[in-house]
Amino acid sequence: MTYNVDLEVCAVLFLVLLCVISQTRKKLEGYQSMVFQIYLYLVLASNVLDIVATSCLPYYDTLPAWINWGINAIFLTVQMSLPVIFVMYIYRKLPKTTGLERKMISLCCIPSAVGQILCLTSPLHHLIFYFDGSGYHHGPMHIYLYTNVAFYMIVSLYLAIRWRKQLGWREFPLLFTMIGIPALAVIVQFAMPQVMLAGVGSALSVYIMYFMVESNVSLLDPITGALNRKAMTDAVERDLKAGKLEDIYAVAPDNFKLINEMYGLEGGNEILSELAKAMMKAFGDKKVFRFGGDTFAILAEKGNTDTLDRLRDLIGRIYHIGDAEVRVTACVGLVHASNHPVEELVSAIEYAVAEAKARGKGQFFEVEETAAEEMVRKKAIEQTMMQNIREGHFEVHYQLIYDIRRKGFYSMEALARLNVPNYGYVSPEEFIKIAEKNGSITQLGMLVLEECCRFIRESDLHARGIDFIEVNLSMVQCMQPEIHKDVLRIMQKYQVPTHMINFEVTESVAASSEELLIRNMERFTEQRIHLSLDDYGSGYSNINYLVDLPFSIVKIDKYVVWAAMKNETSRIILGNTIRTFKNIGLRVVAEGVEDQEMADMIADMGADYIQGFFYSRPVPKEKILERLKEEKGSDAEEEEN
């Protein structure tokens, strides 16, 4: 009788490699279960004993009897323990089981225990195996080994089907695979006893268990060697379920972009790696995570007051990039994990880091419960805004602008509005900043422009006395190389004349005076799209960019107008400013006019237009049309009189 020992040797070598890999992943606490570790080492021991027993068979008549009997008895005993451990492995993966099912699983240990006793005592009764003058033979109850395996496969199958929803789509087919491979090996083994496949089948089942469930190699960051964000959220979730309260410290180096620019990407990665090693040495491999980019997260016991001091000590050290020495400073954010659902932890950490950085270099920010509420608010705003963008529409209100010379409304400003469930309408300053941060500002701006063009076409605004609608352009939009093409495409879609749109650019954007901005503005004027400088007086108040950029209208910020109502000096400055703009051929709009006295002051100073609550509040287009109709009706009555 011949046996294919080569396959078993390969299986053993593979299992040894798997053991080495498994040991290097020790930091993945909670991802390699104890049952799996037991199963892995027992399979390895079983396969080694299988090879030894098979190798000894040709020399059974020259070796001491106790070696032949002992090795085979131990090998078969270990083999008998594998199926029940496999069932225990599946059982440990289940969320919760009833008391009856727990008792049934406990009773499942009995067949394995009986089999182990029979194997160990087989030298006495020869029921499982025996030796005689012609060699090794199966005993009359050897079939018990196969029926035992079949029994545990049925139990595993029952557990998999019974808990298929709780196990999830990923682990459910996995269990069938782990059951099927050993089953196939047993069938082949039973049909062809000389072909040794039991060890190979067990090794393959371990392989599948490890690389699809237990290894979680993806939880390690390849650059720093720290655990990653997924590992962090899993660890927090596991600790919270166990009743452990955690604090999460987020560490974000200051001006890390500058380090990358000075030393290159490799140099930056070297700094991150050194910083990660220092933190892992101080806090432990299982407590340090690379959250993303240049940000790390550290888990600490809630209320541990020395964590922040230890962090600051690490951050203040000198790190090396080749021969260069770099002193790293960092902002630190603190998030109390128990204050947030696990699915919102990432947002909470990002919020903590952003707030700490907003305060300056090396600053600390703690997300208190009130801050957590603010974070939830911002999340709700972002979700509502992104939903509107995905659905391809954005609510727009309009504020009429009064023409002093014509004594009527000549234009209106389009203002994006966002109605957030549970919060109502929120300030554009809030959601515009969020849109700029997450990169959706260009899409939002194009949707507002499209809504304005649709309104112009559907309502024939020019016939109602409106010359154009003013639409705001953000810094991001102004710096898009093809912005003029996108704008023209939308206007052509609704057949809107280019002179019916006037783009407003804020003073802070205009002050940058970058080459691309100038080029884009020149492209707009070539298409007869006019441009307004918005919020003059709110920023640098430098008249130079009015020379460089092709503005036709200047809108004076409401705070400048309000200041002129309070003191004579501000009034003189405002009057001189308006006259200067008029002398260089610019039209002037005064914003923030709230009463007749302010309106009279602006008119006396020579401004062209007035915008403010005194004449019109921002309202939906339906109300604007009603107001224009009323205005036209009152004008007709005046003409008749």
Side-chain angles (χ1 to χ4, degrees):
M1 185 179 291
T2 59
Y3 296 92
N4 54 322
V5 178
D6 292 346
L7 285 176
E8 298 297 295
V9 171
C10 289
V12 167
L13 292 176
F14 167 78
L15 288 169
V16 170
L17 176 62
L18 196 58
C19 288
V20 172
I21 295 174
S22 178
Q23 287 302 308
T24 62
R25 308 294 184 186
K26 279 185 176 179
K27 68 173 64 176
L28 294 172
E29 183 179 7
Y31 293 104
Q32 291 183 7
S33 62
M34 185 181 299
V35 177
F36 167 77
Q37 294 288 339
I38 294 171
Y39 189 75
L40 170 60
Y41 287 108
L42 279 178
V43 169
L44 175 59
S46 171
N47 285 23
V48 170
L49 288 169
D50 190 12
I51 293 173
V52 173
T54 305
S55 302
C56 290
L57 288 180
Y59 311 103
Y60 76 94
D61 54 345
T62 59
L63 291 173
W66 65 269
I67 291 180
N68 289 321
W69 288 93
I71 291 175
N72 279 277
I74 295 172
F75 162 66
L76 292 173
T77 301
V78 173
Q79 282 281 308
M80 289 296 297
S81 68
L82 295 179
V84 71
I85 294 175
F86 186 79
V87 171
M88 292 298 106
Y89 175 80
I90 297 176
Y91 171 69
R92 290 289 297 273
K93 292 289 179 184
L94 302 180
K96 289 183 180 179
T97 51
T98 64
L100 178 60
E101 285 173 329
R102 283 196 294 271
K103 290 178 181 178
M104 289 177 61
I105 291 170
S106 300
L107 292 174
C108 283
C109 296
I110 295 175
S112 176
V114 171
Q116 291 177 55
I117 293 171
L118 289 174
C119 290
L120 281 174
T121 58
S122 195
L124 302 177
H125 48 65
H126 302 180
L127 293 176
I128 303 297
F129 72 94
Y130 64 92
F131 288 89
D132 61 15
S134 59
Y136 174 84
H137 300 281
H138 291 165
M141 289 189 65
H142 193 274
I143 190 67
Y144 185 82
L145 300 179
Y146 303 109
T147 56
N148 186 70
V149 172
F151 169 75
Y152 286 108
M153 286 180 181
I154 292 171
V155 173
S156 302
L157 192 63
Y158 163 77
L159 291 173
I161 294 174
R162 172 70 175 81
W163 294 97
R164 60 189 180 279
K165 291 183 179 179
Q166 287 81 356
L167 287 171
W169 65 268
R170 183 179 178 184
E171 290 192 9
F172 182 61
L174 165 66
L175 293 177
F176 277 103
T177 307
M178 289 192 295
I179 293 166
I181 288 178
L184 182 62
V186 168
I187 292 170
V188 174
Q189 182 81 71
F190 185 74
M192 295 181 288
Q194 74 278 10
V195 179
M196 302 295 291
L197 286 179
V200 175
S202 299
L204 287 174
S205 68
V206 174
Y207 171 82
I208 296 168
M209 290 162 65
Y210 182 77
F211 282 100
M212 291 189 70
V213 181
E214 295 286 338
S215 68
N216 283 284
V217 176
S218 60
L219 296 171
L220 289 171
D221 175 53
I223 294 175
T224 63
L227 295 169
N228 63 16
R229 181 187 296 185
K230 175 64 167 58
M232 181 204 73
T233 55
D234 287 352
V236 171
E237 185 174 14
R238 186 173 61 249
D239 288 348
L240 289 176
K241 285 182 178 178
K244 297 179 182 177
L245 298 181
E246 302 269 34
D247 282 341
I248 304 174
Y249 288 84
V251 182
D254 297 315
N255 296 329
F256 196 76
K257 182 180 179 181
L258 182 61
I259 293 177
N260 280 332
E261 290 175 353
M262 291 179 62
Y263 301 102
L265 188 59
E266 290 186 4
N269 287 342
E270 193 173 337
I271 286 290
L272 290 178
S273 182
E274 283 201 37
L275 186 59
K277 288 176 183 176
M279 290 190 291
M280 286 190 286
K281 184 177 180 181
F283 299 100
D285 290 354
K286 300 169 185 176
K287 296 296 182 181
V288 178
F289 306 84
R290 187 179 183 187
F291 180 77
D294 59 359
T295 304
F296 292 91
I298 296 171
L299 290 187
E301 184 180 349
K302 187 175 177 63
N304 192 337
T305 55
D306 69 336
T307 302
L308 183 59
D309 293 333
R310 293 166 66 191
L311 267 177
R312 283 176 169 158
D313 176 60
L314 289 173
I315 294 166
R317 294 179 187 175
I318 293 176
Y319 295 91
H320 296 84
I321 301 177
D323 297 331
E325 294 184 345
V326 180
R327 185 179 295 279
V328 178
T329 63
C331 292
V332 179
L334 172 59
V335 174
H336 303 292
S338 56
N339 289 348
H340 307 270
V342 174
E343 60 271 15
E344 293 180 6
L345 275 178
V346 170
S347 297
I349 294 171
E350 289 174 346
Y351 175 76
V353 170
E355 290 296 323
K357 286 190 172 184
R359 284 161 170 72
K361 292 183 179 180
Q363 295 301 305
F364 171 76
F365 179 77
E366 180 178 0
V367 182
E368 301 285 1
E369 287 192 40
T370 53
E373 292 173 4
E374 181 62 23
M375 188 201 70
V376 172
R377 172 187 168 86
K378 287 187 176 182
K379 190 70 175 178
I381 293 172
E382 182 174 22
Q383 288 175 344
T384 304
M385 180 181 66
M386 295 309 297
Q387 181 180 349
N388 286 358
I389 291 174
R390 284 193 300 270
E391 293 173 355
H393 68 82
F394 216 91
E395 186 175 354
V396 178
H397 288 190
Y398 301 88
Q399 185 176 29
L400 290 166
I401 299 174
Y402 184 79
D403 187 325
I404 297 173
R405 182 179 57 84
R406 288 162 44 177
K407 297 187 183 325
F409 298 120
Y410 91 109
S411 68
M412 62 181 75
E413 181 178 356
L415 300 163
R417 290 292 182 262
L418 187 66
N419 191 356
V420 181
N422 301 322
Y423 295 101
Y425 283 99
V426 298
S427 167
E429 293 181 358
E430 280 192 271
F431 67 80
I432 292 297
K433 287 180 181 178
I434 294 172
E436 289 177 336
K437 183 179 178 181
N438 68 14
S440 63
I441 185 64
T442 300
Q443 294 170 281
L444 190 158
M446 289 299 104
L447 286 176
V448 170
L449 175 62
E450 188 160 1
E451 175 59 32
C452 291
C453 290
R454 187 184 296 113
F455 182 35
I456 291 171
R457 181 177 178 181
E458 292 174 350
S459 306
D460 192 13
L461 291 180
H462 188 69
R464 298 172 186 265
I466 299 299
D467 291 344
F468 56 84
I469 293 181
E470 296 183 341
V471 180
N472 290 282
L473 276 185
S474 69
M475 168 68 88
V476 176
Q477 287 176 283
C478 289
M479 296 305 170
Q480 297 296 317
E482 304 296 323
I483 181 66
H484 65 291
K485 293 182 180 179
D486 294 334
V487 167
L488 289 174
R489 176 181 52 79
I490 292 174
M491 296 179 76
Q492 289 168 2
K493 175 181 176 182
Y494 293 94
Q495 300 177 352
V496 172
T498 54
H499 65 81
M500 288 292 294
I501 293 294
N502 181 302
F503 283 120
E504 291 187 1
V505 178
T506 62
E507 185 183 29
S508 58
V509 174
S512 65
S513 296
E514 294 191 23
E515 184 179 344
L516 182 57
L517 173 64
I518 296 172
R519 193 184 313 129
N520 280 336
M521 289 191 165
E522 289 174 347
R523 287 168 175 167
F524 283 138
T525 55
E526 288 170 2
Q527 299 294 331
R528 296 184 61 209
I529 298 175
H530 295 290
L531 298 164
S532 298
L533 175 66
D534 195 19
D535 298 335
Y536 180 84
S538 63
Y540 299 95
S541 298
N542 188 337
I543 203 168
N544 289 337
Y545 47 74
L546 289 172
V547 177
D548 296 333
L549 301 174
F551 292 112
S552 57
I553 298 175
V554 177
K555 303 185 73 173
I556 297 176
D557 188 73
K558 61 185 178 183
Y559 294 108
V560 177
V561 176
W562 293 349
M565 291 295 296
K566 295 178 180 177
N567 63 79
E568 185 64 23
T569 302
S570 297
R571 183 175 301 209
I572 293 171
I573 292 173
L574 176 59
N576 289 334
T577 300
I578 292 174
R579 282 190 291 273
T580 300
F581 289 152
K582 297 286 291 180
N583 289 337
I584 61 176
L586 295 171
R587 289 176 287 167
V588 179
V589 180
E591 297 181 302
V593 174
E594 297 182 340
D595 54 38
Q596 186 66 58
E597 184 182 0
M598 294 176 73
D600 292 341
M601 178 189 72
I602 294 300
D604 292 341
M605 289 179 177
D608 300 283
Y609 313 111
I610 297 175
Q611 181 176 353
F613 288 175
F614 179 62
Y615 288 102
S616 169
R617 289 178 177 271
V619 292
K621 59 185 180 182
E622 294 81 11
K623 291 190 176 181
I624 283 290
L625 294 176
E626 290 177 7
R627 180 70 184 277
L628 290 175
K629 186 177 180 180
E630 292 171 1
E631 191 74 16
K632 195 170 183 179
S634 63
D635 290 344
E637 287 180 10
E638 288 180 7
E639 289 178 5
E640 289 176 3
N641 295 333

